[in-house]
Amino acid sequence: QVQLVESGGGSVQAGGSLRLSCQASGNDYNSAYSMAWFRQAPGKEREGVAAIDSDGSTSYADSVKGRFTISIDNAKNTLYLQMNSLKPEDTAMYYCAAGAGVYRDYRFDIGSEGDYGYWGPGTQVTVSA
């Protein structure tokens, strides 16, 4: 099994920054997993935000490119999402996920919700105008 627990969410004004963390644990967890951040706003589908593969390859949604950075500390089994220049439309519940990794046309891709088998409970991010 793999357990994922997110932290670092909160309320911030537009233009501000937050750093989310996801602590991974469990007998089945290892650094070979691809890790990702998804988010879901009220009334909307869950969408991929950023992902990182075991070799360090990254993939970002167009809406967050240049503002968000995904990283992982394998020594601590911790995934991060640094979010800068936050906008009200970034308001959502943010989820950490672990999976086998998705490649499309030989390029690492975030994939979709169904590509990930392990999920955390989520952490809320609220950005006010």
Side-chain angles (χ1 to χ4, degrees):
Q1 282 290 350
V2 174
Q3 288 81 44
L4 304 172
V5 179
E6 304 92 339
S7 61
S11 296
V12 65
Q13 289 189 329
S17 298
L18 283 173
R19 188 177 80 154
L20 305 183
S21 299
C22 172
Q23 180 68 55
S25 62
N27 292 333
D28 293 333
Y29 178 77
N30 61 73
S31 60
Y33 277 103
S34 290
M35 303 292 291
W37 289 98
F38 280 71
R39 67 186 180 187
Q40 187 167 21
K44 294 188 177 181
E45 293 185 354
R46 192 171 296 190
E47 63 173 356
V49 174
I52 185 166
D53 200 10
S54 57
D55 66 356
S57 298
T58 57
S59 178
Y60 294 91
D62 288 342
S63 59
V64 306
K65 281 181 181 177
R67 300 189 298 123
F68 291 10
T69 302
I70 189 171
S71 62
I72 192 165
D73 184 334
N74 287 318
K76 296 182 178 179
N77 289 347
T78 303
L79 178 73
Y80 301 99
L81 184 68
Q82 178 66 44
M83 305 187 295
N84 298 329
S85 302
L86 281 161
K87 304 175 181 179
E89 50 263 44
D90 294 318
T91 295
M93 185 71 79
Y94 282 71
Y95 299 91
C96 171
V102 179
Y103 281 81
R104 304 188 195 285
D105 296 328
Y106 304 102
R107 295 182 64 179
F108 181 63
D109 188 83
I110 297 173
S112 59
E113 188 175 356
D115 295 313
Y116 295 84
Y118 299 101
W119 293 86
T123 186
Q124 178 68 38
V125 171
T126 302
V127 185
S128 58

